[in-house]
């Protein structure tokens, strides 16, 4: 299924490896994967890493209040609704036509109480974040791309400060950072998040951390320490094992990088063609 959107060409392609799964492509890049029969199945490795943070945010099954900056095919909102019934979720998405496409062809199913607590607001993610009431969310997830890059105003100290204000005590701010060698952008994002949150950690594949290829690094900040050993075990057990970097190792990783502000921000690096193509 193909549809031209203001943001570019959107394609919904059946995932031939699973009977009721679909992959959303935007401008030829795989953006989301959804299994309508099993919303707990997460194909994309960086999405699994964000899910590990969600799983660690509260005891299993306990409802959460989650703000998603960036909607895509609503993969993580579906995951939260399935694993934590009764959760209250708000999705901030700038592309109304994309949300219409997703809701038409990848429906959430018969409205249940957990699904009725999922709201979608069309608008700029930063503006919606800044409009949130103080201490109103347990988790804020930022996974926003305009074309191939994250908008600059979502990569700054001011944006992280708005997320910290929106979080309840002990809440988690999780950010999908896309970068490649020499990982300058990722280092700046660690410095930026670290200037706002007392505790930070990062989860990424070893090849990305070793500057061998472009990829996704999941960065998280919180007022409280992360359960690093639990997160490390979860990341290592994934189909594509990842490393958790925290504490002094994360400080060394970001050494020399300065926090990004609204005055100095630039869009994130553009991935090279084919960087996120599935393996042959």
């Amino acid at each position: 299924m193909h549809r031209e959107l203001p943001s570019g060409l959107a394609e919904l392609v059946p995932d031939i490896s699973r009977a009721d799964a679909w992959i959303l492509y935007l401008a030829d890049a795989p953006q989301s994967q959804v299994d309508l029969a099993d919303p707990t199945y997460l194909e994309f490795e960086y999405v699994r890493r964000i899910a590990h943070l969600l799983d660690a945010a509260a005891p299993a099954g306990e409802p959460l209040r989650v703000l998603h900056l960036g909607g895509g095919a609503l993969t993580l909102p579906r995951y939260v609704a399935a694993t934590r019934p009764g959760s209250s979720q708000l999705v901030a998405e700038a592309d109304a036509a994309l949300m219409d496409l997703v809701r038409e062809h990848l429906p959430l199913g018969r409205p249940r109480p957990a699904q009725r607590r999922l709201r979608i607001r069309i608008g700029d993610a930063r503006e919606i974040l800044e409009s949130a009431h103080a201490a109103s969310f347990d988790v804020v997830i930022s996974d926003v791309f305009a074309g191939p890059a994250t908008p600059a105003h979502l990569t700054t100290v001011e944006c992280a400060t708005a997320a910290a204000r929106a979080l309840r005590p002990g809440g988690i701010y999780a950010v999908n950072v896309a970068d490649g060698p020499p990982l300058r952008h990722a280092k700046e994002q660690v410095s930026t998040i670290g200037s706002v949150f007392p505790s930070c950690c990062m989860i990424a594949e070893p090849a990305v951390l070793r500057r061998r290829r472009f990829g996704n690094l999941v960065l998280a900040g919180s007022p409280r320490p992360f359960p690093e050993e639990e997160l490390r075990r979860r990341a290592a057990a994934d189909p594509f094992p990842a490393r958790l970097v925290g504490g002094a190792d994360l400080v060394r990783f970001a050494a020399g990088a300065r926090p990004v502000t609204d005055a100095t921000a630039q869009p994130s690096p553009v991935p090279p063609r084919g960087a996120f193509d599935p393996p042959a």
Side-chain angles (χ1 to χ4, degrees), residues 12 22 24 34 36 73 78 101-108:
L12 283 174
W22 296 81
L24 170 66
V34 169
L36 297 178
R78 298 171 200 262
L101 174 71
V102 169
R103 285 186 285 194
E104 177 184 354
H105 293 280
L106 303 177
L108 293 169

Side-chain angles (χ1 to χ4, degrees), residues 109-219:
R110 177 180 298 177
R112 297 191 296 270
Q115 294 170 348
R116 286 197 294 269
R117 297 174 67 86
L118 171 59
R119 296 175 295 134
I120 298 173
R121 282 185 60 186
I122 303 301
D124 178 79
R126 170 89 174 258
E127 292 178 2
I128 293 173
L129 172 63
E130 292 175 338
S131 72
H133 294 299
S136 55
F137 293 98
D138 298 299
V139 182
V140 174
I141 299 170
S142 181
D143 184 17
V144 182
F145 286 84
T150 300
H153 69 304
L154 295 172
T155 67
T156 68
V157 170
E158 292 85 349
C159 184
T161 301
R165 175 183 173 276
L167 286 170
R168 292 173 169 177
I172 294 174
Y173 181 42
V175 184
N176 176 29
V177 177
D179 199 10
L183 296 181
R184 176 181 175 181
H185 174 64
K187 293 178 181 181
E188 290 176 343
Q189 288 306 290
V190 171
S191 180
T192 298
I193 303 300
S195 71
V196 176
F197 291 93
S199 180
C200 292
C201 68
M202 184 171 65
I203 309 173
E205 282 188 54
V208 176
L209 291 171
R210 292 170 185 154
R211 300 164 180 79
R212 293 179 180 174
R213 69 174 185 84
F214 199 100
N216 296 101
L217 306 95
V218 172
L219 176 61

Side-chain angles (χ1 to χ4, degrees), residues 53-64 84 138-139 172 224 230:
L53 292 165
L54 283 164
D55 292 344
E62 184 175 305
L64 293 174
R84 297 181 178 273
D138 298 299
V139 182
I172 294 174
R224 63 179 172 87
E230 176 187 351

Side-chain angles (χ1 to χ4, degrees), residues 220-236:
S222 177
R224 63 179 172 87
F226 286 95
E228 291 192 1
E229 286 307 313
E230 176 187 351
L231 291 171
R232 186 172 285 112
R233 287 194 300 269
R234 289 174 179 266

